[in-house]
Amino acid sequence: MTTVRLSRIATLVSVCLSIAAYALADRFGVLAAVAIPVAVAGWWVTELRRAKPVPKLAINLLVTASIVWSFYRVVADRGVEGLTVSVFCQFLVLVLLVKLWDRKETRDVAQVLTLSIFLTIGAILTANTLGMGILVIANVLVTVFAVMSFHIAAGIERSAFNDRTLGALGARAPEPESVAIRAILRSFAPLCGTAIVLGLAVSVVVWIVMPRGVGESEFVGLGQFGGRRTGFTERVDLRRSGLITESTRTVLDLRLENREGFSVGTEGRHVYLRGAVLDTYDGRAWTKSPTAGPIVDMKLQGGKPWQIGPTDAQGAVVQRIVMRDVGASGVPVLAALDPVSVELEADAQLALQTAGRTLTRDGRPGRFAYTVTSIPPKPDEERSQISRTRIVGFRSETIGVEARRVLAQAGVEPDPNLRPPAWDSDACRAIERHLRSNYTYTLDTPSLRAGKDPIEGFLFETKAGHCEYFAAAMAAMTRSVGIPARVVAGYVANEFSAETESYTVRENSAHAWVEAMIADGVWATFDPTPPDGLLRQIRPPARFLAGWQHWLDSMDDAWSTSVVTFDEQSRKKLLGVDVNPAAWVQEHVSGWVAEYRSSDEGSRGRILSRAVLSVGVFGVALWLVARASRALLSGDWTRARTPQATTIHTPELMRAARIYDRALAALRRAGMAKPVWKPPLDHAETLGPSVPAAGALRRVSGVYYALRFGGCVPTAEELEGSVRAVAEIRGRASGRQPVTGAGSE
Amino acid sequence: MHDRAAFSTSPDRSSNMVLDDPLTRVRRRYHFHFPGVVYAITTVFLAIGAINSQNNLLFWAFGLAVGGMLVSGVISGASLMGIEVARDPIGPSQVNGLMRVRYRVRNSNRIFPAFAINLSERARHAPDRDRADRANWSGRMSEPFAFVPLVRAGETVTVDAIVKPTRRGEARFRCVAAWTVFPFGLTRKSVTFVGTRIALVRPEPAEFVPELSREHDSERSGGRSAPLRALDGHEFFSLREYAPGDSLRAIAWRRTARTGETIVRQNSAATTERLWIVLELSDDPDAGERLISLASGALHRAAARGLVVGLSVPSQGLRAAPREGRGHVEALLDTLAVIPPVGRSGPGVGHTIDGFWLGGRESAWVVSEESPSGRIFAGRGSTRGLRESTSSAEGSR
């Protein structure tokens, strides 16, 4: 094993890890399964077997084909979210594979490493999952090693190439391989480890210090990545298959409390968390009605509750929810039915849809923590007091006939005009029971004939489907017997942990159910999905995997809360101070812009000048920092240490330097201070021949410079002459003779 | 592939050794180059992407990029800070031969090892105030370059730069830069050292004519040189019967086997013939270089044949009498390395061999632009009155 070989192996490992990280981030396992073996094979053929690499023409053709394919993907599938990053990453993978089958000179290895780093960045842009993060961190370690060893290997190869070119092979004895690898292990590995530790430490510091929430989305889609965790959609499309996810990734954590703060969650108690209320059916899908009712917007500060309704009712349930990774806008604020109070951890914009009693939130993406209080609906105890002012229908007569048949069979009057309003609840229960007992739950979406209403298909043909079919069918049947009903999409929380006294809600807990108006303004929840089917979908992992699942959940939770959703609030908590200079700047700039826009012509100039002054001060500060950095880096701080300079400590030079300093001090006192940047002889010339101090300065400088830069040791007379010259300058300074030309500089 | 040079075997590495004659460190610089610019641009984009998307892993990647910059500065700065370089005296070489410039690199740092140190000779450098002391190797050879993969803390490593000179003359090495892009290749850090070493690049010996020696021998056998004597030389002289005291190694075994008598082999004594190599230069520098190369070849050949050689360049007023010894030949080759390729003309300075006096058992090989293959003069007296014969060098070349 040689240094060069070790470096090449590290490069290959880095490439494989970056491909794996991207494949994991983009959920493109096939890519990893194909690309990694191809990469290893290319390396094995060209490096180990020393076989002839793929001809250059073929390499160029393959790279060109990759470019054309990527361009075609971007053009053909434009508009798809996250496509650009995805295509770019896949293009990088292709080029990497081609490069690994090409001959590998020093420059090629550097290119492969660079592409690998870019691919890793692409993976970060694609997703922030725990697995991807672990792979990225592992790749960082390997890449640092590969890059550092590359620079050693490159020098060795350059040296060998030089020897080959000159025909000087044999002029130097080759180094035994064991020596090389031993040297690497003994000296390089500790340094590499130190570099990794230092780099990671700095990265963590920067990561913590960087202010969050400033400048978000200023550059449109640059750096945005998709893949936020959702398990439900706001459109229940019964013709599209495969929407019910079986992913067990955690979406949120829920703690149920009563008003006193005691946990009221128990194992076996299901909690329906409403996300979206879908009240319009178009023959294919249930969607939100655009005219469902007024929307109340509220800019809510963190820690301050928003009272939506009366909160003093009995049976209020407090839900403390932490959503692990949400998007920036239109995020459903999940809650049980009828939220009456909501409190956010961080500032955000809330919108309440009054008809559906649902909340959405616009704010920073990532972690979203809030507390919402709901009051379960309770129709009046006295059935006689229940009233109904609204009777609805449904478009499908076939479904209406079926609904009426079901109600008649259950002994409930189907006609809403004849049926007392208090029986509406019973009618709903009858339909719910009918669906639960006569239909089969399955995740395999049955195929339907084109043009056939999917609800009718479910009710009369397939008689099997998942929760969305059940909910859609019940809403349709309930409506067709005159009871207002709507489909609700959200999550059902059922996985309760006694240790943490909280529910864990996963993506596969996404669910759809029905809310029906059982009295004026009173909506009740009905779930027509067969319980065994629902439990099969949302059941916790098998017992023998439960330990692993729990461990993975803990890891994922820690990763999500500590890394992925680390936000300004977390930063402030961690640092213990509320300092965000970037936010201060942004706030003030925004303030100035607003002030400028609202001001009259007269005061605009003042505002503008203030802004210009601020920018100027900032620019000067920046310039000074740049100057200091440049001086630090360019070596001005390590000025030329010439042999003469090393004589600074000789007694003669020290004495001459002292005299010279005294002369400068005397000049300063006399008001003829020499500027720092100006050589003394130039300064003497500036003072002019008529100024006696100029001559004295010239004499002192001459002696000092001759010794300092010429190495000429002054005689005793010359030193005495210098001392006299200083005294002469002092004499002028003490006022014995007026000084002219002072302050000319 | 083998790692070379500085992971060298134990004699090239030593610990706690102070360099004898270290070069003077004059400057330390950071140079930004293309990979560094790409890195900086990528870092800026990471920052923008992180701020724009609030993607925490992008923030971390940005921090890592910043950390990379800082670590790069710390490691390379710390390792270069302790580097000392000494350049050993450089032996003479010849055009199209190999020149070895040997450096000793010491890492005085007590903690940090220094990795991937490149040593490059610089042709020009700002502190070269003294024009006469400026480096002038550029144009005579490619840039001397050496690479040291590792110098541990407190260790001294010896490393060679191998170059191929292309022009004869005095190569003056003034300034050497130790630079590295280690660890991440973001910036090139360099430390410049000054200190002068001079190396002579001798002319490439022309393929000299073997006939020169034969001509020379024929002249000598014409009665002007002493007869060969049976001494312990290296050339065959005759055979004779064995006499007691003869070395067994002198027995000619084949002849002994054929004749049945013990025959021994007698060698001749080394000749003491003195050969002048006379170089007649003209105003054409290219022709002068060719002639100098021929003269060098003649010197090599004559020395190889054991002749005592001297060198005369009348146009330069140079006259080095023939003397024995390898050192003398080396000195003559050094002279050929530095003489100007053109001859001066003017009153009193002859271009030709006219008036060149030869002593007894002396001959002269004259090479000039008119007869670049050389003319042979042999015998006592002025060359003007001597018989001249032209060797067939031209045809042989």
Side-chain angles (χ1 to χ4, degrees):
Chain A
M1 181 71 74
T2 62
T3 313
V4 177
R5 175 63 55 80
L6 197 65
S7 166
R8 295 280 173 93
I9 290 174
T11 303
L12 176 70
V13 175
S14 168
V15 168
C16 293
L17 281 174
S18 60
I19 291 174
Y22 166 67
L24 197 64
D26 210 10
R27 300 186 182 188
F28 198 174
V30 177
L31 181 75
V34 173
I36 291 175
V38 170
V40 174
W43 185 85
W44 183 74
V45 167
T46 55
E47 286 283 319
L48 284 187
R49 302 286 298 172
R50 296 274 174 203
K52 206 173 175 183
V54 176
K56 207 72 193 170
L57 178 65
I59 294 289
N60 291 338
L61 282 175
L62 286 170
V63 171
T64 309
S66 306
I67 293 170
V68 170
W69 174 81
S70 305
F71 186 73
Y72 169 75
R73 284 271 325 266
V74 170
V75 172
D77 299 343
R78 66 179 177 277
V80 179
E81 190 183 352
L83 177 78
T84 311
V85 173
S86 178
V87 170
F88 180 66
C89 288
Q90 287 165 27
F91 167 70
L92 288 180
V93 172
L94 287 174
V95 175
L96 273 172
L97 294 182
V98 172
K99 296 288 294 179
L100 285 172
W101 280 87
D102 193 5
R103 67 183 163 78
K104 282 182 279 301
E105 291 176 356
T106 308
R107 195 179 57 177
D108 300 304
V109 177
Q111 287 171 355
V112 166
L113 272 171
T114 309
L115 292 176
S116 169
I117 291 168
F118 280 132
L119 184 59
T120 307
I121 293 173
I124 292 175
L125 284 171
T126 306
N128 282 356
T129 59
L130 172 64
M132 196 278 305
I134 290 171
L135 281 176
V136 166
I137 290 171
N139 197 15
V140 165
L141 307 183
V142 174
T143 304
V144 168
F145 183 87
V147 171
M148 289 175 76
S149 60
F150 164 77
H151 286 105
I152 299 176
I156 290 169
E157 287 189 307
R158 184 182 167 195
S159 193
F161 177 77
N162 190 43
D163 287 0
R164 275 200 303 275
T165 309
L166 294 177
L169 280 177
R172 284 182 270 212
E175 176 211 9
E177 293 186 353
S178 56
V179 176
I181 194 64
R182 228 180 295 141
I184 286 290
L185 291 178
R186 283 186 187 166
S187 296
F188 181 75
L191 187 71
C192 187
T194 308
I196 289 171
V197 170
L198 275 178
L200 288 177
V202 173
S203 72
V204 169
V205 169
V206 171
W207 183 71
I208 292 171
V209 169
M210 281 289 285
R212 304 300 202 279
V214 176
E216 187 179 344
S217 300
E218 293 290 339
F219 300 94
V220 199
L222 182 64
Q224 296 284 6
F225 65 101
R228 303 287 184 188
R229 297 179 189 196
T230 56
F232 69 90
T233 60
E234 294 187 348
R235 175 184 167 85
V236 171
D237 189 342
L238 300 172
R239 284 200 174 275
R240 288 180 66 185
S241 60
L243 283 179
I244 302 300
T245 176
E246 294 181 83
S247 166
T248 55
R249 284 204 302 169
T250 306
V251 177
L252 60 92
D253 298 297
L254 162 71
R255 179 181 161 85
L256 281 185
E257 292 175 358
N258 58 17
R259 285 204 173 279
E260 286 72 40
F262 294 109
S263 170
V264 293
T266 55
E267 205 164 346
R269 177 182 178 181
H270 295 182
V271 181
Y272 289 89
L273 296 172
R274 303 163 78 243
V277 171
L278 315 173
D279 50 7
T280 303
Y281 181 67
D282 60 3
R284 175 189 173 113
W286 284 88
T287 53
K288 273 201 287 194
S289 167
T291 55
I295 294 174
V296 179
D297 285 324
M298 178 76 179
K299 188 171 185 181
L300 197 57
Q301 287 185 331
K304 291 189 176 174
W306 179 23
Q307 302 292 345
I308 302 169
T311 58
D312 52 351
Q314 289 292 316
V317 177
V318 179
Q319 305 138 72
R320 298 191 184 278
I321 295 176
V322 178
M323 297 185 76
R324 296 194 176 183
D325 189 11
V326 299
S329 61
V331 177
V333 181
L334 297 159
L337 184 58
D338 205 8
V340 293
S341 166
V342 62
E343 181 182 328
L344 308 183
E345 191 180 71
D347 300 359
Q349 179 84 26
L350 287 183
L352 171 69
Q353 194 194 29
T354 50
R357 304 294 286 173
T358 56
L359 287 156
T360 54
R361 170 258 194 192
D362 293 346
R364 214 186 69 76
R367 183 174 178 273
F368 175 40
Y370 60 95
T371 304
V372 60
T373 306
S374 300
I375 297 177
K378 280 187 179 173
D380 294 339
E381 296 295 331
E382 290 294 327
R383 283 196 164 214
S384 59
Q385 294 179 9
I386 295 176
S387 62
R388 182 205 305 141
T389 55
R390 192 172 151 216
I391 296 175
V392 294
F394 192 69
R395 52 190 289 173
S396 169
E397 184 54 32
T398 320
I399 294 174
V401 170
E402 174 66 8
R404 284 191 287 276
R405 187 190 68 77
V406 169
L407 290 192
Q409 199 174 355
V412 179
E413 172 56 49
D415 188 347
N417 296 315
L418 301 176
R419 186 178 64 239
W423 288 14
D424 283 358
S425 176
D426 299 333
C428 293
R429 292 284 168 217
I431 294 171
E432 182 188 53
R433 266 197 313 276
H434 169 73
L435 289 170
R436 280 184 176 185
S437 52
N438 295 307
Y439 291 82
T440 310
Y441 183 88
T442 177
L443 284 177
D444 301 324
T445 315
S447 57
L448 293 169
R449 280 187 289 111
K452 178 81 177 173
D453 186 290
I455 298 176
E456 290 179 5
F458 167 73
L459 284 174
F460 308 117
E461 291 180 11
T462 62
K463 298 196 174 186
H466 51 67
C467 58
E468 290 179 351
Y469 285 93
F470 283 92
M474 180 173 175
M477 291 173 77
T478 312
R479 281 191 178 189
S480 60
V481 292
I483 304 170
R486 58 199 185 191
V487 173
V488 181
Y491 292 97
V492 55
N494 75 313
E495 188 181 336
F496 182 77
S497 165
E499 290 86 14
T500 59
E501 295 185 331
S502 64
Y503 290 90
T504 300
V505 178
R506 303 175 189 280
E507 284 188 353
N508 64 354
S509 301
H511 190 46
W513 60 92
V514 173
E515 285 177 358
M517 190 186 281
I518 53 174
D520 273 344
V522 180
W523 292 85
T525 299
F526 298 93
D527 190 353
T529 305
D532 57 334
L534 176 63
L535 286 175
R536 203 163 61 238
Q537 182 193 336
I538 64 177
R539 70 180 181 275
R543 188 174 292 277
F544 70 98
L545 287 176
W548 279 103
Q549 187 68 43
H550 182 70
W551 184 79
L552 276 176
D553 281 346
S554 305
M555 289 280 291
D556 194 38
D557 186 39
W559 171 261
S560 179
T561 53
S562 307
V563 178
V564 178
T565 59
F566 186 84
D567 57 5
E568 189 59 22
Q569 299 293 328
S570 318
R571 202 178 74 89
K572 283 174 184 171
K573 270 186 199 167
L574 189 69
L575 294 177
V577 289
D578 188 4
V579 177
N580 190 339
W584 184 87
V585 170
Q586 191 188 36
E587 193 178 318
H588 280 73
V589 169
S590 306
W592 285 344
V593 170
E595 192 181 349
Y596 181 79
R597 282 180 179 162
S598 62
S599 60
D600 55 4
E601 287 294 329
S603 53
R604 279 191 176 184
R606 186 171 48 82
I607 297 167
L608 205 60
S609 61
R610 201 171 65 183
V612 168
L613 187 67
S614 303
V615 170
V617 169
F618 182 71
V620 168
L622 208 63
W623 179 77
L624 286 174
V625 170
R627 287 274 300 182
S629 308
R630 193 177 160 196
L632 200 68
L633 292 174
S634 65
D636 285 355
W637 55 293
T638 55
R639 280 211 180 140
R641 281 193 272 169
T642 57
Q644 290 86 354
T646 58
T647 60
I648 189 82
H649 299 300
T650 60
E652 293 84 4
L653 186 57
M654 295 298 284
R655 189 173 174 203
R658 274 199 301 273
I659 295 170
Y660 176 70
D661 287 343
R662 281 183 208 143
L664 293 185
L667 278 173
R668 233 180 354 259
R669 278 196 295 274
M672 295 181 286
K674 181 184 86 64
V676 177
W677 50 269
K678 202 166 198 174
L681 294 180
D682 285 0
H683 185 57
E685 198 169 334
T686 311
L687 292 177
S690 60
V691 180
L697 174 63
R698 207 173 283 126
R699 287 201 300 281
V700 174
S701 306
V703 171
Y704 173 66
Y705 271 41
L707 177 55
R708 175 77 173 80
F709 299 110
C712 301
V713 180
T715 61
E717 290 77 27
E718 284 174 327
L719 284 174
E720 283 305 314
S722 295
V723 173
R724 278 199 300 278
V726 173
E728 195 179 334
I729 298 171
R730 282 179 179 161
R732 308 295 173 210
S734 63
R736 273 181 254 161
Q737 191 173 323
V739 174
T740 58
S744 59
E745 288 299 325
Chain B
M1 171 121 7
H2 293 293
D3 300 345
R4 290 183 166 276
F7 282 143
S8 48
T9 46
S10 51
D12 294 330
R13 287 183 168 276
S14 51
S15 298
N16 303 318
M17 191 183 84
V18 178
L19 292 183
D20 293 337
D21 186 16
L23 302 175
T24 306
R25 178 188 298 199
V26 293
R27 197 176 193 189
R28 183 159 174 247
R29 284 191 66 189
Y30 282 75
H31 316 255
F32 283 97
H33 58 163
F34 181 68
V37 172
V38 171
Y39 188 88
I41 291 172
T42 307
T43 305
V44 169
F45 269 95
L46 280 177
I48 292 172
I51 290 169
N52 193 57
S53 68
Q54 299 290 305
N55 181 337
N56 274 313
L57 276 191
L58 272 189
F59 275 112
W60 177 70
F62 169 67
L64 205 61
V66 173
M69 284 186 195
L70 294 178
V71 169
S72 170
V74 168
I75 289 182
S76 59
S79 62
L80 272 189
M81 197 95 80
I83 288 293
E84 296 171 7
V85 177
R87 193 197 295 109
D88 283 357
I90 305 165
S93 60
Q94 67 179 34
V95 172
N96 287 329
L98 292 181
M99 175 186 278
R100 184 194 300 262
V101 185
R102 174 156 289 180
Y103 302 96
R104 278 171 295 125
V105 184
R106 180 167 185 269
N107 181 9
S108 61
N109 199 310
R110 292 180 183 178
I111 301 169
F112 285 103
F115 279 95
I117 304 290
N118 298 269
L119 297 170
S120 298
E121 285 289 344
R122 292 279 184 259
R124 277 189 287 179
H125 182 61
D128 285 350
R129 293 198 178 90
D130 183 2
R131 298 183 72 84
D133 198 29
R134 277 194 174 166
N136 71 342
W137 57 265
S138 179
R140 294 180 198 284
M141 61 190 74
S142 57
E143 179 189 279
F145 162 78
F147 180 72
V148 190
L150 166 65
V151 194
R152 296 188 189 95
E155 190 181 48
T156 301
V157 170
T158 304
V159 63
D160 293 336
I162 309 280
V163 286
K164 185 178 278 189
T166 53
R167 271 180 56 203
R168 71 178 180 88
E170 192 180 78
R172 192 182 295 268
F173 298 93
R174 164 75 178 144
C175 177
V176 59
W179 58 271
T180 184
V181 292
F182 190 81
F184 302 133
L186 310 184
T187 55
R188 195 162 66 85
K189 285 75 66 175
S190 70
V191 183
T192 307
F193 300 87
V194 292
T196 305
R197 290 278 185 206
I198 297 171
L200 286 179
V201 180
R202 294 167 177 171
E204 184 180 19
E207 283 293 326
F208 194 65
V209 286
E211 286 73 12
L212 166 69
S213 303
R214 286 204 290 273
E215 288 275 353
H216 192 248
D217 289 347
S218 68
E219 294 293 332
R220 188 177 52 203
S221 61
R224 294 188 182 278
S225 60
L228 293 174
R229 291 170 294 158
L231 291 173
D232 292 330
H234 298 288
E235 293 188 17
F236 174 73
F237 176 66
S238 68
L239 297 170
R240 64 168 172 79
E241 287 184 8
Y242 175 80
D246 283 342
S247 169
L248 284 178
R249 294 164 66 181
I251 295 173
W253 292 104
R254 285 187 180 174
R255 179 57 65 90
T256 301
R258 276 204 298 273
T259 60
E261 293 178 9
T262 307
I263 305 295
V264 294
R265 175 191 171 98
Q266 273 194 301
N267 287 344
S268 67
T271 180
T272 55
E273 187 71 20
R274 292 151 65 92
L275 172 67
W276 280 94
I277 293 172
V278 183
L279 191 56
E280 289 187 341
L281 297 172
S282 69
D283 290 333
D284 182 0
D286 292 337
E289 291 293 345
R290 282 197 303 274
L291 297 178
I292 290 169
S293 181
L294 273 170
S296 171
L299 264 175
H300 277 284
R301 178 53 64 97
R305 292 191 63 83
L307 301 177
V308 177
V309 286
L311 177 67
S312 173
V313 187
S315 61
Q316 305 287 343
L318 175 71
R319 188 182 172 91
R323 275 165 48 195
E324 290 190 19
R326 183 68 202 170
H328 177 65
V329 175
E330 296 283 334
L332 294 183
L333 287 171
D334 288 349
T335 304
L336 284 178
V338 294
I339 60 169
V342 292
R344 289 179 298 148
S345 60
V349 180
H351 269 99
T352 67
I353 192 69
D354 291 348
F356 194 89
W357 281 88
L358 295 177
R361 290 164 60 196
E362 278 190 344
S363 55
W365 184 76
V366 181
V367 59
S368 66
E369 198 175 353
E370 289 77 28
S371 58
S373 57
R375 289 172 291 156
I376 299 294
F377 296 87
R380 181 188 293 273
S382 168
T383 52
R384 189 174 295 179
L386 292 178
R387 183 170 57 84
E388 178 185 326
S389 67
T390 303
S391 71
S392 58
E394 209 156 13
S396 304
R397 282 167 47 220

